[in-house]
């Protein structure tokens, strides 16, 4: 299981140190939540701060856009060369065009589905995606309760992936912890995002990441 801690739950007063610490603690990706105050009722960070995160990180960035205008934000973040950029299906009129644009910039395209969007919407998009991110909370905030329907959604998505593009990864984001990680793995999930679980773990980041792996 690959683990991508979400820096949304980090101490932003010590952001560089926090990013170095999760990388040293064995994470696989650094998950960066970008919110515009329109698509979701919260705002986070822009390219100036993410550039500082990229400098501190020794692991690749996993940028999760929660925005209305994907074109604008992809252009802003592409120069930072993240490994993945994820855009929401629900905010994109032309998901295939967006996936192809992200790939043309040398970045791996990923599409996100909200907790109540059917996994089947991905079927004819999968061949152009490197990852599908299934939300297991309503996007916008860290520390929310895990929505268990993600297990069935991951199983259904896994079947489509096997048929259409076996190389496509499944990522899950929201409320991930040691209480649901085994079920996620059994459902075919490859990557988990974990914010509050990692940053609030009583035994520290290394133990938290190791327990998910
Ligand atoms: C929610 C974000 C998540 C969030 C996860 O909109 O996309 O990445 O930070 O935090 P936890 O793991 O605390 O649910
Ligand atoms: Zn996220």
């Amino acid at each position: 299981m690959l683990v991508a801690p979400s820096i949304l739950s980090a101490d932003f007063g010590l952001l560089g140190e926090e990013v170095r610490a999760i990388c040293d603690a064995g994470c696989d990706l650094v998950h960066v939540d970008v919110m515009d105050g329109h698509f979701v009722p919260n705002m986070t960070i822009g390219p100036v701060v993410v550039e500082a995160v990229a400098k501190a990180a020794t692991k690749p960035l996993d940028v999760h856009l929660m925005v209305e205008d994907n074109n604008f934000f992809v252009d802003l973040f592409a120069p930072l060369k993240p490994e993945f950029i994820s855009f929401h299906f629900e905010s994109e009129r032309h998901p295939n065009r967006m996936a192809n644009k992200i790939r043309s910039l040398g970045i791996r395209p990923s599409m996100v589905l909200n907790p109540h969007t059917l996994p089947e919407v991905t079927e004819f998009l999968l061949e152009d995606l490197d990852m599908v991110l299934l939300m297991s909370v309503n996007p916008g905030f860290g520390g929310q309760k895990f929505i268990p329907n993600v297990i069935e959604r991951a199983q259904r998505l896994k079947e489509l992936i096997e048929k259409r593009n076996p190389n496509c990864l499944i990522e899950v984001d929201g409320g991930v912890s040691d209480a649901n990680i085994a079920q996620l793995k059994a459902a075919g999930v490859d990557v988990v995002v974990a914010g509050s679980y990692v940053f609030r773990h009583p035994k520290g980041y290394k133990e938290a990441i190791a327990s998910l792996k």
Side-chain angles (χ1 to χ4, degrees), residues 86-138:
S86 300
F87 63 91
H88 269 261
F89 172 76
E90 297 83 5
S91 70
E92 183 50 58
R93 280 192 192 161
H94 302 289
N96 179 253
R97 180 179 289 154
M98 182 51 59
N100 292 339
K101 172 178 171 149
I102 293 168
R103 193 178 303 285
S104 75
L105 294 164
I107 298 159
R108 301 177 73 189
S110 162
M111 188 173 78
V112 196
L113 304 186
N114 274 337
H116 301 89
T117 299
L118 293 176
E120 285 73 18
V121 300
T122 62
E123 179 153 12
F124 295 101
L125 295 163
L126 284 172
E127 62 183 300
D128 293 312
L129 292 170
D130 281 4
M131 188 160 79
V132 173
L133 169 49
L134 298 176
M135 292 306 300
S136 38
V137 296
N138 289 307

Side-chain angles (χ1 to χ4, degrees), residues 17 64 105 140 149 161 168 176:
E17 282 169 46
H64 175 192
L105 294 164
N149 80 10
I161 282 178
C168 184
V176 170

Side-chain angles (χ1 to χ4, degrees), residues 37-49:
H38 294 276
F39 179 65
V40 288
N42 195 6
M43 287 181 74
T44 55
I45 51 179
V48 176
V49 178

Side-chain angles (χ1 to χ4, degrees), residues 31 33 64 66 173:
H31 186 80
D33 289 304
H64 175 192
M66 283 159 273
D173 182 2

